[in-house]
Amino acid sequence: MTSRVNTADYIWMGGEIIPWGQATVHVNLLGHSTVSAVYEGIKAYWNADKQQLFAFRLDEHVRRFMDSVKMVRLNCKYTPEDLRAAMLSLVRANKFREDCYVSPLIYETGIIRSYAHPNLSRPTEVVIDTWSFASQMTTERAINCCISSWTRISDNSSPNRIKCVSNYHNGRLASLEALINGYDLPIILNDRGKVSEGPGACIFIVRGGKAITPSVTSDILESITRESILQICREVLQIPTEERDVDRTELYVADEMFFCGTWWEVTPVASVDRLPVGNGSMGPITRAIGRAYHDIVRGIDTRYEDWRTPVW
Ligand code: PMP
């Protein structure tokens, strides 16, 4: 059976917008060139009433991309302004008038025979891909999770703070284990035994009316959605927040729980290790946060204007 692959007409590579199928590299780049590669994942949301598409927190994503590039010691020939403009022009070239995902990736080029090079002297290239991505927000889907038997990589081994492709093997192993055992998504504990995050999303629990999330020193990616939700809780919904260590067993007694991230948006958790979270469906605080986030990313709620970059 063949599945329909969701690709756009155009991709950005080496400073140009070219047909998607023409963006090829030499086979020698398979392997070591991806050890240091870093990327970003950005979402643009369509507002049907205004006939406008808004890229959500584009500048913060570009900033994190450049921070990642710096930390893996790659040399990027494009400025943040170049990348920002490239992403907007690519989405426009694809004529997207629907929700879509935008993903820049930087990787080493040349002849690659080793992963350890004085990277700043090594050539790199950037490719930016985009594809349509239907939002799951407001569907009330809830997922079943487990605590992974894998431990989160730590800041002093392979820092989660950055979006380095290599980091994702840890999340991949945890995801495969969860899926094989009949769960939707794993929750990964760090090497101190505290909750870190999911393979591609951060975690919030709700206890006693407070929204609680592991702190940025819990071996998590510094998620832009997490940061936005903390601000929305405090400023829009008047929900108190806490950023601190979260124990595994707090998940079992939480009133509500959800994952958040560009890809996962606000996704409620129905159960952890087969123990129901609350009554096993989306709770009222999660629903309120999801609704507020949805309205802000689409520009239905016009507050936080600087979070939305109009594509058109
Ligand atoms: N953690 C990991 C490991 C991720 O890959 C992502 C997705 N980028 C997140 C958290 C959520 O981050 P953001 O809200 O910036 O998308």
Side-chain angles (χ1 to χ4, degrees):
M1 199 174 93
T2 53
S3 58
R4 185 173 163 273
V5 179
N6 172 15
T7 61
D9 291 339
Y10 297 104
I11 193 163
W12 189 98
M13 193 181 191
E16 282 180 63
I17 292 174
I18 56 173
W20 197 89
Q22 287 178 17
T24 55
V25 293
H26 194 274
V27 70
N28 173 267
L29 292 193
L30 282 175
H32 290 319
S33 82
T34 51
V35 170
S36 57
V38 299
Y39 76 108
E40 263 307 319
I42 301 145
K43 196 96 188 275
Y45 284 94
W46 178 241
N47 182 316
D49 289 338
K50 294 184 176 148
Q51 294 285 297
Q52 270 192 293
L53 184 68
F54 296 109
F56 188 62
R57 306 204 72 172
L58 181 59
D59 293 328
E60 289 82 351
H61 281 282
V62 171
R63 171 73 205 261
R64 191 172 65 187
F65 184 80
M66 298 315 282
D67 285 349
S68 299
V69 166
K70 177 182 179 188
M71 221 187 291
V72 297
R73 297 174 189 270
L74 287 183
N75 156 41
C76 182
K77 59 188 170 189
Y78 304 105
T79 64
E81 294 72 32
D82 294 338
L83 295 174
R84 187 183 193 282
M87 286 190 259
L88 292 172
S89 60
L90 177 68
V91 175
R92 289 185 194 121
N94 282 299
K95 301 191 171 60
F96 279 133
R97 297 174 73 79
E98 61 192 303
D99 297 348
C100 62
Y101 197 84
V102 188
S103 184
L105 171 93
I106 181 168
Y107 57 96
E108 294 183 55
T109 61
I111 296 172
I112 308 278
R113 299 229 161 95
S114 142
Y115 56 82
H117 242 259
N119 288 348
L120 280 173
S121 64
R122 186 119 138 187
T124 62
E125 195 44 88
V126 171
V127 62
I128 306 172
D129 202 359
T130 181
W131 56 93
S132 68
F133 185 115
S135 170
Q136 295 290 311
M137 278 191 286
T138 70
T139 61
E140 301 249 336
R141 66 158 177 179
I143 59 173
N144 296 303
C145 298
C146 60
I147 305 296
S148 183
S149 72
W150 294 95
T151 299
R152 197 67 173 145
I153 43 180
S154 68
D155 192 55
N156 214 25
S157 59
S158 188
N160 286 300
R161 197 174 309 283
I162 55 174
K163 245 179 122 57
C164 184
V165 170
S166 296
N167 288 353
Y168 286 81
H169 197 238
N170 180 239
R172 176 178 176 271
L173 290 171
S175 293
L176 293 180
E177 178 192 50
L179 289 171
I180 287 163
N181 290 330
Y183 299 95
D184 298 312
L185 213 61
I187 294 156
I188 315 170
L189 306 183
N190 61 25
D191 61 5
R192 294 181 292 112
K194 304 296 177 187
V195 174
S196 65
E197 59 183 349
C202 284
I203 293 172
F204 274 83
I205 58 171
V206 177
R207 288 192 78 191
K210 270 189 229 154
I212 304 164
T213 189
S215 68
V216 291
T217 51
S218 303
D219 298 303
I220 63 168
L221 179 73
E222 291 185 345
S223 153
I224 292 161
T225 317
R226 172 189 171 282
E227 199 53 50
S228 309
I229 285 174
L230 284 168
Q231 213 174 324
I232 290 169
C233 282
R234 291 190 289 256
E235 296 172 3
V236 176
L237 301 169
Q238 279 74 51
I239 295 170
T241 61
E242 272 180 19
E243 295 171 72
R244 60 163 174 80
D245 277 352
V246 173
D247 279 336
R248 169 186 190 148
T249 51
E250 284 186 273
L251 306 182
Y252 298 149
V253 294
D255 303 321
E256 301 181 31
M257 181 176 159
F258 61 91
F259 279 104
C260 73
T262 301
W263 186 289
W264 287 89
E265 304 176 316
V266 174
T267 298
V269 175
S271 68
V272 179
D273 290 342
R274 305 283 181 225
L275 291 169
V277 177
N279 69 5
S281 59
M282 186 189 256
I285 292 185
T286 306
R287 187 175 296 106
I289 293 170
R291 169 55 66 183
Y293 180 72
H294 169 270
D295 288 356
I296 288 168
V297 297
R298 279 204 201 288
I300 296 167
D301 181 337
T302 54
R303 286 174 283 186
Y304 303 102
E305 198 181 351
D306 58 331
W307 288 1
R308 292 179 298 273
T309 302
V311 179
W312 3 70

